[in-house]
Amino acid sequence: MKFDVVDPSEEQAILDEEAAADEQGGEDEQGDADEPLPPGVHPRLDRAARRMHTRIGADLGTLGESLNRLHAHIETARSREAEDAPQAPPPTNFRSGAFSRPPSP
């Protein structure tokens, strides 16, 4: 592996340039540009967090719609099965109380 040794002042200058570029180009993307960031939070990290929050909200909305459609299909299938199935008596070896708890004393 190869690493470059960078003077801390040069590294800070690079970070300051990136922060200035982010603030100039990213203010229109932020919904609360007037709200100051907490100390130590980089503007790029804040913007990435906002984007991820928006994407997760959209994904959850899509998931909810899909689950509602799936539920509607399941209910439709159940109603068709109930209509098509003939009412037959239970088998002779069926014990209705086998899966219930015994009464408490």
Side-chain angles (χ1 to χ4, degrees):
M1 282 194 259
K2 181 180 176 183
F3 296 98
D4 292 329
V5 178
V6 179
D7 187 11
S9 61
E10 292 176 13
E11 184 178 333
Q12 186 61 42
I14 292 171
L15 288 175
D16 291 342
E17 290 173 5
E18 288 179 355
D22 287 340
E23 288 176 5
Q24 290 173 356
E27 285 185 11
D28 55 356
E29 290 180 9
Q30 290 179 340
D32 299 330
D34 297 335
E35 186 176 317
L37 295 175
V41 175
H42 196 274
R44 291 173 67 188
L45 179 63
D46 181 59
R47 191 169 56 249
R50 289 175 191 266
R51 249 186 279 136
M52 187 61 68
H53 181 74
T54 302
R55 288 179 59 191
I56 288 173
D59 289 346
L60 286 175
T62 303
L63 177 64
E65 292 171 4
S66 297
L67 289 175
N68 286 335
R69 284 195 307 267
L70 178 62
H71 179 69
H73 288 299
I74 290 172
E75 290 300 317
T76 302
R78 281 183 180 168
S79 67
R80 288 180 185 160
E81 285 178 3
E83 293 171 359
D84 296 341
Q87 295 296 327
T92 56
N93 61 351
F94 177 72
R95 295 177 294 156
S96 62
F99 299 104
S100 61
R101 292 184 176 178
S104 341

